Amino acid sequence: MRHWLIKSEPDVFSIDDLSKVKREPWTGVRNYQARNSMRDDMQPGDLALFYHSNAVPPGVAGIARVAGAPYPDPTQFDPESEYFDPKASAENPRWMLVDFEFVAKFPAYVPLQQMKEDPALEGMAVLQKGTRLSITPVEAKHFKRLCKLGGWKVEA
DNA sequence: GCCAACGTTGGC
DNA sequence: GCCAACGTTGGC
C-alpha cells in the first residue's frame, strides 16, 4: 500500500465536510503531476493524510482513503464549472480523479509548524520550500509518525 | 495583503 | 525550443 498527502482548503472542503459526506470525488485538480498520481499510482485502499492548506494554522487534520479506480473528472466537461477545460473531450479526457472516503479525524490536529520541528518528518515533500503540489506521495515512516502525532491508531 | 516559488502559456 | 509574461499556490 502507498501513502499520500492531499491538500484541501478547509474553507472549501474540510475534513469535517468529508466526514459528513463520507465519500467525495476529488474534482478540480489541474496539475499534471497530481493527476498522474491519481491516474497511475493510487490504488483503492491507499491511505492519505488530509492536509488543510490556507488554514490558520495549516496542518494535517485527518486520514482519507482512496475509494475506487480513477475516472475522468466530470467538471472538465461542464462549461458552467470553474474547472471547465475546453481542450478536454469525452474521447480525450485530460483530467482524471479518484474518490476519497473518510477514515478519521485526528484527535490532535498537527500544525505545519510542529511538522517542521520534528526531525522524524525530515524530507517530506510538503515541508520543502516552494512545494505547491496538491497531491504528494508520503513515505510509510512519515505517515506513521503523523498518525502518532495526531493521536490516531492505525487499524489492523 | 504580500510575495516567493513555480507551472503554464504563447510569441518568436 | 526558448523564455518572458502571467497566473496560481500557499505560508506568513
Side-chain angles (χ1 to χ4, degrees):
Chain A
M1 174 174 59
R2 295 212 199 188
H3 299 88
W4 306 92
L5 179 144
I6 56 176
K7 289 183 190 171
S8 185
E9 300 189 26
D11 290 349
V12 179
F13 191 80
S14 71
I15 189 75
D16 291 326
D17 294 324
L18 183 61
S19 96
K20 275 178 213 142
V21 300
K22 300 299 179 198
R23 177 172 177 150
E24 179 75 6
W26 213 244
T27 56
V29 172
R30 294 296 179 266
N31 169 282
Y32 290 108
Q33 256 181 282
R35 177 205 65 184
N36 293 349
S37 289
M38 290 198 284
R39 188 187 62 186
D40 305 331
D41 300 329
M42 284 191 185
Q43 296 291 330
D46 282 0
L47 294 179
L49 302 165
F50 195 106
Y51 179 87
H52 280 177
S53 62
N54 269 316
V56 187
V60 175
I63 303 290
R65 183 193 294 119
V66 177
Y71 61 96
D73 181 340
T75 63
Q76 71 191 303
F77 308 127
D78 177 6
E80 302 298 307
S81 169
E82 61 175 313
Y83 301 121
F84 177 63
D85 184 343
K87 292 178 186 159
S89 65
E91 300 75 41
N92 271 310
R94 269 192 161 189
W95 306 107
M96 303 289 283
L97 55 69
V98 298
D99 288 4
F100 284 99
E101 58 190 1
F102 178 76
V103 175
K105 181 179 179 177
F106 279 170
Y109 184 75
V110 185
L112 178 62
Q113 186 57 40
Q114 184 183 356
M115 295 169 64
K116 285 180 176 172
E117 289 166 358
D118 189 342
L121 294 178
E122 204 179 336
M124 274 191 79
V126 74
L127 300 180
Q128 308 309 309
K129 196 175 171 185
T131 296
R132 301 182 314 170
L133 253 191
S134 59
I135 296 177
T136 55
V138 171
E139 292 176 46
K141 64 176 180 183
H142 291 154
F143 185 88
K144 281 180 195 155
R145 178 65 180 165
L146 267 151
C147 290
K148 187 171 186 182
L149 295 174
W152 183 69
K153 258 197 157 41
V154 188
E155 301 138 19

